Amino acid sequence: MAKRKLPLGLVLGSGFLMLCTAPLSQAQDRTFAWGYNTLGVPGVLEMPSAFSRPDAEFVLSYSQFGSQYRSALTFQVSDRLSATFRYAGLDGLVIDNAPPEQTFDRSFSMHYRLLDEGKYAPAVAVGINDILGTGLFSGEYLVASKTFGPKLRASVGLGWGRLGSFGSFSNPLSVLSDSFDTRAPYTGLGGELSTGQWFRGDAAVFGGVEWMVNDRLRFVAEYSSDAYTTEVAGSFDRRSPINLGLSWQANDRTIVSAQYLYGSEFGIQLNYLTNPTKSRTGSGYDPSPVPIVPRDQIAVATWAEVDDASFKSKLEASLLREGIQLEAYEARGNVLSVSIRNKGFATASQATGRTARILTRLAPREIDKFNVLLSETGIPVTSVVLRRQDLETLEFEATGADQLRAGTAINDETRRISAAWDSYPLSSFRVEPYIKPDLFDPDAPVRADAGIAFSARYEPVAGLVFSGLLQQRLIGNIDENTRSGNSVLPPVRTNALLYAQASDTSLKELTAAYYFRPGADLFGRVTVGYLETMFGGVSAEVLWKPQGNALALGVEVNHVRQRDFDSFFGFQDYSVTTGHVSAYYDIGNDYQARLDVGRYLAGDVGATLTLAREFDNGWKIAAYATKTNVSAADFGEGSFDKGILLTIPIEWATGKPSKTKLNAKINSINRDGGARLDVQGRLYDSVRDLQATQLDASWGRFWK
């Protein structure tokens, strides 16, 4: 197709002129996009728009037309920035005139709203598709969108790469530099930033119109600048750049769309929306807490009158009904100290509140203060000292939580309660089903194993834990993965197939761990045994984590040997000393950063950067990237290790009190470079959840 030479001013100016000629309806939101396109990006049908979705929205998207489908996970990282991980299946893909083949492709996109919509000015956004993929969806864009009244929107944009492949003309950015004229062909193993391609090569104009027929039904039409030159020969007949669609908002979480694309194909799309800041169950289904009893209604006046056995029995039983483990208690003067382990509530602040309510019902009148000692695996972490009078007077105050917090002391605590009585030894045994998913590998979208897990735990004294995990696989297809065993590095992860195939019964963990407090603001752990499926040995960790400090530092050292493939008691010849120095930083506004620097399981040396957004209710979405001294060629497909970490608290979904969280890891491919030991019981998250910063963030749940 012949290229047309258009000046920059004409291309941008003519496209945006129509958008800027009507004032914004005051009833229309200036920020939110009305939907997602087939790539999972805020947009029209196939093309993007300049608006964003609501802050923190998380969407699962699936679309299919012709011989390809796309599934996507999109997170609105901030009010302006959204990020999308995409997994696409393409049948009949034609590359370099080779025979058509089926391909599964992973890619990553970013969409950023540069300018908000004003009374006359449009919203403007910039985006990059396929930042860290194979280049099949590679494309960049600058787009402007304008609202006309409460029901009509229009978007016009300029695209490069795939979005500059139909109706293309010479790059307007070449007025800045001749380097923008040429877009180098994609080469490499995937996973690398191809910055030399961004906004380079031919460009093309795209656009779309959205009309809200009513509050739920949306009609969409667009002009696409994607020529589908890679897929079209083997997948469908692209006859027209015009796409049409209807989108139905079935409810506040589901959007269903029907599409007619490129004059030849019918398509469907399903978006499932959720938002970590909005619980599915409103205020939840927590059982009502016991009422606070004023001390003048307590019959016992002094601690000397307390029958220790009766007090212990009542306190232990009352706490256990709340899902709280009593570890120890003691009375000194007018202060009653109680060491607890929260096993039932998502936040330590709620467990603290339930404990304080119970103490008002049992403590003699002479007790003026309650010291609730929050413990993790038998080691003290935080002391929460509450005034009894505050509990009695503020329970039903509108601002009672804030007033109570003002009079409450929260401090680091290193001293275990030295009472004559404590709850040790402790033991537990569980039998439960398990599912182990393996998502989005290069050959199949979903693999999984399922079976029965047997776990046991024994704590003879505070801080010492013996634990084990045995799994019996009943069904699954993870052992059908064909990508293992081709690494030039020591096969510390790529031989996962051999572990999956060796036995349906496996001893995943069998360890002894000791947790301790070396000093103020310091926490320690030593773990020995079969640490994970593939490695056993010894792991030691020290963490410096002051109360209320945004910065924490940790050091971990491990010496491990590779386990036999049946994951029972034998070992192989490979051994390695691995470890990291870690820095954790709470950026604020729910954002966190973590940097781990050290040596990985394959002997490579480098660093892992993790950026996360964590909400007060326990939702956490993170992205990580690891770069070591292993070259992209030696690492293999993907070039370096990277992925997404997702944590969803069960309480958020069910509304019932629970500490259980679902954790998922989605990485581009499982390779040996940048692999880290998967030892349980690392200190930072468990310690941080019990400290002042997290208590303050969820203090409103104290009375709940």
Side-chain angles (χ1 to χ4, degrees), residues 452-673:
I452 303 296
F454 306 86
S455 61
R457 183 182 179 97
Y458 178 66
E459 302 177 47
V461 296
L464 180 60
V465 182
F466 297 94
S467 62
L469 174 63
L470 182 73
Q471 288 185 349
Q472 175 62 51
R473 176 179 176 269
L474 300 178
I475 191 172
N477 62 351
I478 288 181
D479 58 355
E480 297 175 6
N481 193 327
T482 60
R483 291 237 170 187
S484 295
N486 62 349
S487 177
V488 299
L489 299 172
V492 295
R493 292 299 185 219
T494 53
N495 54 13
L497 175 63
L498 301 179
Y499 284 91
Q501 292 176 335
S503 175
D504 287 338
T505 306
S506 58
L507 182 65
K508 296 298 182 181
E509 300 166 24
L510 186 62
T511 62
Y514 182 64
Y515 299 85
F516 57 98
R517 294 294 307 267
D521 302 324
L522 293 174
F523 303 84
R525 171 188 61 83
V526 177
T527 308
V528 297
Y530 300 95
L531 303 174
E532 53 145 277
T533 301
M534 300 184 189
F535 285 91
V538 58
S539 172
E541 178 186 10
V542 174
L543 174 72
W544 174 75
K545 178 67 176 73
Q547 295 273 349
N549 199 325
L551 177 67
L553 300 173
V555 178
E556 180 181 289
V557 178
N558 317 286
H559 183 73
V560 294
R561 182 176 293 274
Q562 196 164 36
R563 297 176 63 184
D564 281 346
F565 293 128
D566 62 7
S567 293
F568 270 92
F569 300 110
F571 286 96
Q572 302 183 47
D573 291 336
Y574 181 76
S575 64
V576 62
T577 298
T578 175
H580 292 78
V581 175
S582 302
Y584 311 82
Y585 190 74
D586 191 337
I587 300 171
N589 297 320
D590 301 330
Y591 296 99
Q592 303 166 13
R594 173 176 173 176
L595 180 65
D596 301 292
V597 180
R599 191 175 191 225
Y600 296 83
L601 283 172
D604 48 331
V605 177
T608 300
L609 177 64
T610 304
L611 298 175
R613 187 173 183 186
E614 183 179 21
F615 301 92
D616 294 344
N617 59 13
W619 258 87
K620 187 174 183 178
I621 300 174
Y624 75 91
T626 299
K627 192 66 177 175
T628 71
N629 58 349
V630 172
S631 68
D634 286 342
F635 182 91
E637 184 177 356
S639 300
F640 64 94
D641 189 39
K642 54 198 168 294
I644 297 169
L645 305 172
L646 179 63
T647 299
I648 303 175
I650 291 295
E651 183 183 75
W652 176 89
T654 65
K656 298 179 180 179
S658 175
K659 285 192 68 178
T660 303
K661 297 178 180 180
L662 297 178
N663 295 290
K665 178 181 178 181
I666 302 171
N667 56 348
S668 56
I669 191 170
N670 204 23
R671 306 293 300 180
D672 296 311

Side-chain angles (χ1 to χ4, degrees), residues 396-412:
F396 300 110
E397 290 289 329
T399 59
D402 292 337
Q403 293 184 62
L404 181 68
R405 178 62 185 93
T408 298
I410 299 180
N411 298 300
D412 182 56

Side-chain angles (χ1 to χ4, degrees), residues 20 39 68 92 133 157 202 217 302 422 451 510 572 581 592:
C20 302
L39 296 176
Q68 66 175 275
D202 296 339
L217 183 62
T302 67
D422 62 33
L510 186 62
Q572 302 183 47
V581 175
Q592 303 166 13

Side-chain angles (χ1 to χ4, degrees), residues 166-418:
F166 181 81
S168 57
F169 44 82
S170 297
N171 193 343
L173 296 179
S174 62
V175 300
L176 304 176
S177 171
D178 291 342
S179 64
F180 286 102
D181 282 332
T182 304
R183 188 180 186 91
Y186 182 86
T187 60
L189 298 166
E192 296 180 301
L193 291 170
S194 301
T195 55
Q197 291 188 324
W198 294 354
F199 302 98
R200 285 170 166 78
D202 296 339
V205 171
F206 61 84
V209 176
E210 303 171 78
W211 175 43
M212 294 297 299
V213 181
N214 54 45
D215 290 343
R216 294 184 178 273
L217 183 62
R218 180 169 58 106
F219 174 76
V220 184
E222 73 175 10
Y223 173 89
S224 171
S225 59
D226 188 344
Y228 275 81
T229 54
T230 303
E231 299 96 333
V232 72
S235 57
F236 69 93
D237 182 13
R238 187 188 190 282
R239 301 173 184 172
S240 168
I242 303 300
N243 296 326
L244 303 173
L246 283 174
S247 179
W248 173 255
Q249 180 97 34
N251 52 51
D252 60 349
R253 290 191 174 90
T254 308
I255 302 176
V256 181
S257 302
Q259 305 145 351
Y260 183 64
L261 304 174
Y262 302 105
S264 62
E265 297 293 335
F266 287 96
I268 58 171
Q269 182 169 344
L270 174 66
N271 294 321
Y272 182 77
L273 320 172
T274 191
N275 196 307
T277 64
K278 301 174 183 177
S279 174
R280 293 171 53 91
T281 56
S283 60
Y285 306 124
D286 304 58
S288 298
V290 296
I292 287 174
V293 175
R295 82 173 79 190
D296 60 11
Q297 298 181 23
I298 301 298
V300 179
T302 67
W303 190 259
E305 301 174 47
V306 172
D307 178 80
D308 192 67
S310 176
F311 180 85
K312 177 255 182 182
S313 177
K314 291 178 181 179
L315 179 58
E316 187 175 32
S318 298
L319 289 173
L320 193 59
R321 282 194 293 269
E322 302 283 1
I324 299 170
Q325 175 73 56
L326 174 65
E327 291 191 333
Y329 67 87
E330 66 176 2
R332 289 189 177 185
N334 67 342
V335 179
L336 174 59
S337 297
V338 178
S339 178
I340 64 166
R341 187 183 305 184
N342 172 30
K343 301 175 70 175
F345 294 99
T347 63
S349 56
Q350 189 170 1
T352 303
R354 295 292 177 113
T355 302
R357 287 174 176 273
I358 291 170
L359 293 178
T360 67
R361 306 172 68 85
L362 300 177
R365 295 194 302 271
E366 73 170 351
I367 299 297
D368 293 325
K369 294 181 179 179
F370 301 127
N371 176 20
V372 181
L373 186 62
L374 301 176
S375 170
E376 178 61 34
T377 323
I379 60 171
V381 178
T382 299
S383 168
V384 183
V385 181
L386 301 144
R387 295 186 300 213
R388 189 172 189 169
Q389 184 175 355
D390 289 346
L391 294 169
E392 295 173 0
T393 59
L394 298 174
E395 181 181 11
F396 300 110
E397 290 289 329
T399 59
D402 292 337
Q403 293 184 62
L404 181 68
R405 178 62 185 93
T408 298
I410 299 180
N411 298 300
D412 182 56
E413 180 60 80
T414 61
R415 183 184 70 90
R416 287 195 180 100
I417 292 177
S418 56

